[in-house]
């Protein structure tokens, strides 16, 4: 299962940016950013904003998960 909040926090740290920096760009308070870090899922519009701000496609994680699950499914016989 994807924990998008942890992935966002990790990318923020990799970019050497602070919670305050992200909060300012999202036009929200630091507390809201910390809440995002705790979430397994977030609104797609917010995720689009964060992807743009951090210059990283967070939707990729979901696409990869869909492909992985599809590859794990047994072939269904079409009789």
């Amino acid at each position: 299962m994807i924990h998008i909040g942890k992935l966002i926090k990790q990318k923020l740290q990799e970019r050497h940016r602070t919670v305050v920096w992200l909060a300012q760009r999202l036009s929200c308070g630091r507390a809201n950013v910390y809440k995002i870090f705790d979430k397994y899922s977030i609104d797609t519009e917010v995720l689009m904003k964060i992807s743009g701000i951090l210059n990283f496609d967070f939707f990729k994680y979901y696409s990869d998960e869909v492909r992985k699950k599809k590859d794990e499914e047994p072939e269904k016989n079409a009789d």
Side-chain angles (χ1 to χ4, degrees), residues 5-61:
K6 284 185 181 181
L7 297 171
I8 292 167
K9 181 179 181 180
Q10 178 184 7
K11 191 57 65 177
L12 185 68
Q13 291 170 339
E14 286 174 13
R15 299 279 197 262
H16 303 287
R17 298 296 185 167
T18 65
V19 170
V20 172
W21 179 87
L22 182 58
Q24 288 172 341
R25 276 143 190 86
L26 288 173
S27 300
C28 70
R30 292 179 306 148
N32 287 339
V33 173
Y34 286 113
K35 287 178 186 176
I36 289 171
F37 293 162
D38 290 335
K39 293 183 179 256
Y40 277 92
S41 64
I42 62 172
D43 180 78
T44 54
E45 196 165 325
V46 174
L47 191 57
M48 280 284 284
K49 276 183 163 181
I50 294 170
S51 292
I53 292 166
L54 293 177
N55 194 29
F56 185 81
D57 181 10
F58 288 98
F59 292 94
K60 174 187 173 304
Y61 292 111

